[in-house]
Amino acid sequence: MKYKNFPMVPRVVFGRGSFNQLNDILAPKRKNAKAPFIYLIDDVFKNNIWLISRIELSYDDRIIYISSAEEPKTSQVDELVEDIILSTKERPSGIIGIGGGTLLDLAKAVSIMLTNEGESHEYQGWDLVKNPAIYHVGIPTISGTGAEVSRTTVLTGPDKKLGINSDYTPFDQVVLDSELTKGVPKEQWFYTGMDCYIHCVESLEGTYLNEFSKSYGEKAFELCKSIFLEGALSDVESQEKLMMASWHGGMSIAYSQVGVAHAMSYGLAYVLGVKHGIGNCIVFDQLEEFYPEGVQMFKAMKSKYNIELPEGICRDLSDIELDTMINVSLGLEPLWENALGKGWKQKMTAKKLRELYKKM
Ligand code: NAD
Ligand code: ZN
């Protein structure tokens, strides 16, 4: 097929306090008393009565708190799935992910692996999932990744960091309640917010650009500018706008691709465990050659919010580690092709990539 036929999130609630409606949204989706709802929640909320007390647990429903200190791994997904299978009488009625990109991706992956055989690393790639996932709900508590709207769940596996991209990956329901993002620390707010900004730049400057992606990308870009550059917004306005920027940024790359910053930050993540948001910032800061205006604006945003990025993280890497980083990055062909065009291999060589990494 020449044009891709993508699924979208079929149901979404937007509004401050909409999290209060969660129990009513889930109730009709309960299959029976033996089929519980399983909540995967970032452990930053463990003792947060304001949030947790609003979740009504009935029958065998349960909460699993998960740390987002590290990005999701295929082995972690497999363990969660095994634990859920062993501890539930019937296949769950649904999986609800509450947190940032890390928890949203875990919820998507677990819901897929509950209905598909084998191990999750076997599904890293494009359109490898055979059976529909179980009902899954995404509730972001930090904005920027677009994971709430995307068709992928990014996992680090035994030999690569790559998403499970499939028609069964997107959430069946998303709850966008910007009030849930109110406690995000400033640095993290900036890093994850910049993921969205970088999605926009990479999509809008890419060779895959089309009117579908452009319309979402331009809107998200404009929202990011008003949040991170102009900055005359109230906290509530800023939180609501960033939530919608994340959504639009995610929609923009659905029908195009990300680019150089993402390709390189996947390498950093794989070898050094650098997380997505901050990794993208570290890389993007050095990409003036590829995205002159986007990087200039990024630097202005960075200084407006007094953000200091780590330096020299690749300085002491061995040749083997650098080679791995370069290979992981160059393996992401669609990203490079989007960024640099069909002849990208002439423009981005291993040598050039090594020089760039050395600056970080
Ligand atoms: P995250 O989920 O890793 O969370 C970052 C930090 O913010 C954590 O310490 C978390 O505890 C904290 N946090 C979250 N909400 C909070 C709140 N309300 N108050 C206080 N602290 C809060 O960060 P992220 O940047 O949202 O997600 C990164 C992950 O998303 C990576 O694993 C990346 O691969 C993935 N990702 C996925 C997609 C996709 O389309 N599936 C796209 C981009 C990134
Ligand atoms: Zn991203």
Side-chain angles (χ1 to χ4, degrees):
M1 256 198 283
K2 184 170 173 206
Y3 296 107
K4 291 181 184 140
N5 186 8
F6 281 143
M8 296 212 256
V9 172
R11 282 186 180 267
V12 55
V13 179
F14 175 84
R16 233 109 164 134
S18 58
F19 185 65
N20 292 334
Q21 293 170 218
L22 179 62
N23 301 306
D24 294 335
I25 292 169
L26 295 180
K29 300 290 177 184
R30 186 183 295 280
K31 295 219 179 85
N32 63 57
K34 287 184 190 155
F37 286 110
I38 312 277
Y39 297 82
L40 307 182
I41 306 184
D42 191 307
D43 69 2
V44 76
F45 295 112
K46 198 158 188 178
N47 297 310
N48 187 324
I49 294 166
W50 174 74
L51 186 135
I52 302 299
S53 67
R54 289 188 273 168
I55 300 173
E56 272 172 32
L57 299 178
S58 343
Y59 306 104
D60 296 336
D61 293 353
R62 73 176 169 120
I63 294 176
I64 304 177
Y65 289 104
I66 300 175
S67 161
S68 55
E70 290 183 0
E71 299 196 334
K73 293 194 189 62
T74 53
S75 57
Q76 182 186 15
V77 171
D78 297 337
E79 278 163 30
L80 276 165
V81 169
E82 173 139 346
D83 172 43
I84 292 170
I85 291 172
L86 291 176
S87 64
T88 50
K89 300 183 189 96
E90 271 183 29
R91 199 175 262 180
S93 293
I95 303 292
I96 299 102
I98 304 179
T102 300
L103 268 291
L104 298 179
D105 278 358
L106 280 171
K108 289 173 169 181
V110 166
S111 71
I112 289 172
M113 293 311 299
L114 281 165
T115 55
N116 286 277
E117 288 190 350
E119 298 187 337
S120 51
H121 69 86
E122 296 165 43
Y123 297 96
Q124 284 179 285
W126 282 268
D127 302 305
L128 301 170
V129 179
K130 290 174 197 77
N131 306 314
I134 64 170
Y135 177 73
H136 50 303
V137 180
I139 310 181
T141 65
I142 178 170
S143 301
T145 63
E148 64 279 14
V149 74
S150 76
R151 188 181 172 272
T152 188
T153 158
V154 184
L155 303 176
T156 301
D159 49 22
K160 53 185 177 270
K161 179 178 173 184
L162 184 62
I164 299 180
N165 299 266
S166 86
D167 282 354
Y168 304 124
T169 309
F171 286 112
D172 298 296
Q173 169 81 55
V174 170
V175 176
L176 296 179
D177 179 348
S178 63
E179 201 176 16
L180 303 182
T181 68
K182 69 182 182 188
V184 175
K186 184 190 85 173
E187 264 75 23
Q188 190 62 55
W189 165 78
F190 186 83
Y191 299 146
T192 301
M194 283 301 111
D195 190 22
C196 175
Y197 172 75
I198 295 168
H199 290 159
C200 297
V201 175
E202 292 186 321
S203 170
L204 293 171
E205 300 294 320
T207 62
Y208 290 2
L209 190 65
N210 53 71
E211 288 302 329
F212 184 99
S213 296
K214 197 169 157 194
S215 61
Y216 285 107
E218 283 176 345
K219 185 67 204 177
F221 186 82
E222 182 193 305
L223 289 167
C224 285
K225 236 169 81 178
S226 74
I227 298 160
F228 293 103
L229 198 64
E230 292 150 13
L233 304 170
S234 71
D235 286 354
V236 172
E237 279 173 322
S238 168
Q239 289 159 13
E240 296 219 309
K241 282 191 195 302
L242 189 53
M243 196 155 251
M244 287 322 295
S246 176
W247 184 274
H248 282 83
M251 285 300 297
S252 178
I253 46 178
Y255 228 93
S256 67
Q257 247 311 344
V258 282
V260 181
H262 276 75
M264 292 191 67
S265 116
Y266 273 41
L268 285 185
Y270 192 77
V271 175
L272 291 170
V274 179
K275 295 194 69 186
H276 190 75
I278 189 170
N280 280 347
C281 288
I282 293 169
V283 173
F284 199 65
D285 208 30
Q286 304 294 340
L287 295 185
E288 215 147 359
E289 176 186 347
F290 303 97
Y291 306 108
E293 286 158 19
V295 173
Q296 229 171 31
M297 194 181 289
F298 170 78
K299 288 187 192 284
M301 292 167 169
K302 204 175 63 160
S303 77
K304 183 174 169 83
Y305 287 98
N306 299 315
I307 303 291
E308 297 216 15
L309 295 172
E311 285 174 19
I313 60 168
C314 294
R315 203 176 290 145
D316 301 323
L317 288 179
S318 68
D319 277 347
I320 296 175
E321 286 170 316
L322 260 175
D323 284 341
T324 308
M325 208 175 256
I326 290 164
N327 288 336
V328 168
S329 179
L330 289 178
L332 297 160
E333 300 208 1
L335 283 64
W336 290 110
E337 188 180 284
N338 174 47
L340 305 174
K342 290 240 182 272
W344 68 270
K345 284 183 181 157
Q346 276 82 53
K347 295 187 189 139
M348 183 48 75
T349 57
K351 181 164 172 277
K352 168 105 187 158
L353 204 48
R354 177 179 296 261
E355 281 161 16
L356 279 169
Y357 273 131
K358 283 280 195 191
K359 287 202 222 166
M360 293 165 194

